[in-house]
Amino acid sequence: MDTRRSLRILAAALGAAGLLVSGCTGGSPTDTSSSAPATASVPPVPEGLERYYGQTLKWRDCGVEGFQCATMKAPLDYAEPDGDEIDLAVSRKRATGPGKRIGSLLVNPGGPGGSAIDYLQGYAAIGYPAPVRARYDMVAVDPRGVARSEPVECLTGPQMDTYTQVDQTPDDAAEITGLSSEYERFASGCEKRSGTILPHVSTVETARDMDVLRALLGDEKLHYVGASYGTFLGATYAGLFPGRVGRLVLDGAMDPSLPSVEMNRDQTAGFETAFQSFAADCVKKADCPLGTTSTADAATRLKRLFADLDAHPIETGDSRRLTESLGTTGVIAAMYDESAWPQLREALAAAQDGDGSGLLSLSDSYYERQPNGTYANLMFANAAVNCLDLPPAFTDAEDVERAVPGFEKASPVFGRAFAWAALNCAHWPTPPTGTPHRIEAKGAAPIVVVGTTRDPATPYKWAESLAGQLSSGTLLTYSGDGHTAYGRGSDCIDTAINTYLLEGTPPNDGKKCS
């Protein structure tokens, strides 16, 4: 999977999943040494946070051509602003011109756990439309607990290999115990290695960090493009600071009003929808490894492959064999972007011939496993944020077993695995601080919410719900496949979003593109 598509799609892939997936300008445009602090036109500084809002960013060369980097400080605990602080990594690429600079455009690829700086430097600041990059400084901050910003750490590489291979469709009491034990070991590892930051990586805290950064950049309003989980982060910001909302694009929207179990079940149905779309395309081709008769036959054959892998993992050319869990993750990874479908067909055909290397490669890209056997902290941060933001979907194996039929109804192919994946927060050492809630953001400027009709990770109905909750929400629909819509080839979508970002004019509510 190429690097840019991986950054754009897979870093935003995790949403609610568990083991599987789960302005005003500031400073001179030529100033490269520091950002101007908040000016008198910027909304008042929250009490007790003056030293954070008043700090100066000292920009330096990143070692990546065209980019600058800086470090901002934030309180570890916003309830105790005079206590410990954390360092957050920031990067930017200055507006290129021509045209008057609008301000800074903050971007976040989702996850939670995706590196916003990697996304900025690897895609957004070089791949977003030129007119947008001409008039905005493109900016990213790795959220607290992620990548360069005091990352959450949980397991070693070999431990993570074991974790990703554990049987996620347990057939008996011993396998249930094995899966539960892995979840416990994961949670214990996070507490041991990252216990100080673990209670302070919530979406609310990250949204508050974003407001500090907005002020340090000298912007009166926050302009932002968030994908997948980044939409929840953006909506949370709007709920906290409606008067500071500038131009917000929430692409591949999440629904903050849903409890964990419903969110996981909806996402299960989303992946079933995506698989049906893939299967409908596949069976039209003579070399489809899932047959050429019907999508139902394709589903049956894929389930048979998973069952075979459960009983007899296959060789991969690596020290690891392809297990059912790794094979399932590989298939899921390819559901995010239809351009990965040819790669998936090849990987499935090879797996049927006893070669699991293709599906393992897809799975490794999903987990951000490096060739040397180490892992990025994506999965660690993903669990840490999700388990803090909402109460767990399930508290024990009995809960899961009762829920399995509903998950299998949502997806005969993936349902059982997704149900057991949702047990991952049951043993979390830090109690949740968030609850399901509607976000209205009354008084905010127009916010564009984008939904894709066959999005696997953030089902379309979530975008409909979020747009309906936000008092100024405008729904923009892409009728198609894949996760998120901006920059994926639809001129209709891109034109609507570009016009909004450059002119401040949102598309008509309910606008549809294909």
Side-chain angles (χ1 to χ4, degrees), residues 352-423:
Q352 290 172 343
D353 290 336
D355 176 6
S357 60
L359 285 176
L360 182 64
S361 177
L362 283 166
S363 178
D364 284 351
S365 70
Y366 186 94
Y367 284 122
E368 293 197 355
R369 185 186 191 273
Q370 309 306 311
N372 65 1
T374 62
Y375 287 76
N377 95 305
L378 173 65
M379 285 293 170
F380 309 143
N382 179 262
V385 176
N386 283 333
C387 295
L388 198 59
D389 275 352
L390 287 174
F394 305 120
T395 58
D396 54 37
E398 289 74 20
D399 283 349
V400 180
E401 290 177 319
R402 285 191 291 269
V404 163
F407 276 72
E408 290 185 321
K409 181 178 180 181
S411 173
V413 176
F414 305 115
R416 185 172 179 81
F418 271 68
W420 284 101
L423 184 62

Side-chain angles (χ1 to χ4, degrees), residues 206-218:
T206 296
R208 297 194 68 175
D209 295 339
M210 285 167 52
D211 194 61
V212 175
L213 178 58
R214 170 204 57 77
L216 301 184
L217 295 169

Side-chain angles (χ1 to χ4, degrees), residues 354-497:
D355 176 6
S357 60
L359 285 176
L360 182 64
S361 177
L362 283 166
S363 178
D364 284 351
S365 70
Y366 186 94
Y367 284 122
E368 293 197 355
R369 185 186 191 273
Q370 309 306 311
N372 65 1
T374 62
Y375 287 76
N377 95 305
L378 173 65
M379 285 293 170
F380 309 143
N382 179 262
V385 176
N386 283 333
C387 295
L388 198 59
D389 275 352
L390 287 174
F394 305 120
T395 58
D396 54 37
E398 289 74 20
D399 283 349
V400 180
E401 290 177 319
R402 285 191 291 269
V404 163
F407 276 72
E408 290 185 321
K409 181 178 180 181
S411 173
V413 176
F414 305 115
R416 185 172 179 81
F418 271 68
W420 284 101
L423 184 62
N424 72 315
C425 291
H427 304 288
W428 203 248
T430 303
T433 57
T435 57
H437 60 285
R438 290 174 56 85
I439 297 178
E440 297 182 3
K442 292 181 179 178
I447 299 171
V448 175
V449 179
V450 189
T452 298
T453 54
R454 294 187 293 279
D455 190 315
T458 53
Y460 177 66
K461 68 178 184 178
W462 290 0
E464 292 180 303
S465 179
L466 180 60
Q469 292 173 43
L470 293 167
S471 62
S472 59
T474 294
L475 180 63
L476 175 63
T477 297
Y478 173 58
S479 298
D481 297 294
H483 184 41
T484 73
Y486 186 43
R488 287 172 48 81
S490 169
D491 289 339
C492 175
I493 290 288
D494 291 354
T495 298
I497 293 176

Side-chain angles (χ1 to χ4, degrees), residues 243-439:
R244 303 178 194 181
V245 168
R247 301 168 190 179
L248 263 63
V249 177
L250 308 180
D251 184 12
M254 291 182 64
D255 181 353
S257 71
L258 297 177
S260 291
V261 65
E262 190 172 343
M263 187 173 291
N264 279 271
R265 193 166 50 238
D266 281 355
Q267 193 174 57
T268 302
F271 277 95
E272 180 67 21
T273 297
F275 172 73
Q276 291 295 322
S277 190
F278 162 75
D281 177 76
C282 185
V283 298
K284 297 175 184 176
K285 304 180 186 303
D287 62 346
C288 178
L290 300 179
T292 58
T293 56
S294 67
T295 58
D297 184 45
T300 298
R301 292 187 182 215
L302 183 59
K303 290 175 66 177
R304 185 183 305 145
L305 174 63
F306 289 160
D308 290 344
L309 292 174
D310 188 26
H312 304 289
I314 60 176
E315 298 293 336
T316 63
D318 186 274
S319 59
R320 296 166 295 156
R321 289 176 172 246
L322 186 75
T323 61
E324 179 190 16
S325 56
L326 290 173
T328 302
T329 303
V331 173
I332 286 169
M335 293 296 101
Y336 285 91
D337 187 353
E338 64 270 28
S339 67
W341 291 357
Q343 182 182 358
L344 177 59
R345 289 197 301 271
E346 292 179 7
L348 289 171
Q352 290 172 343
D353 290 336
D355 176 6
S357 60
L359 285 176
L360 182 64
S361 177
L362 283 166
S363 178
D364 284 351
S365 70
Y366 186 94
Y367 284 122
E368 293 197 355
R369 185 186 191 273
Q370 309 306 311
N372 65 1
T374 62
Y375 287 76
N377 95 305
L378 173 65
M379 285 293 170
F380 309 143
N382 179 262
V385 176
N386 283 333
C387 295
L388 198 59
D389 275 352
L390 287 174
F394 305 120
T395 58
D396 54 37
E398 289 74 20
D399 283 349
V400 180
E401 290 177 319
R402 285 191 291 269
V404 163
F407 276 72
E408 290 185 321
K409 181 178 180 181
S411 173
V413 176
F414 305 115
R416 185 172 179 81
F418 271 68
W420 284 101
L423 184 62
N424 72 315
C425 291
H427 304 288
W428 203 248
T430 303
T433 57
T435 57
H437 60 285
R438 290 174 56 85
I439 297 178

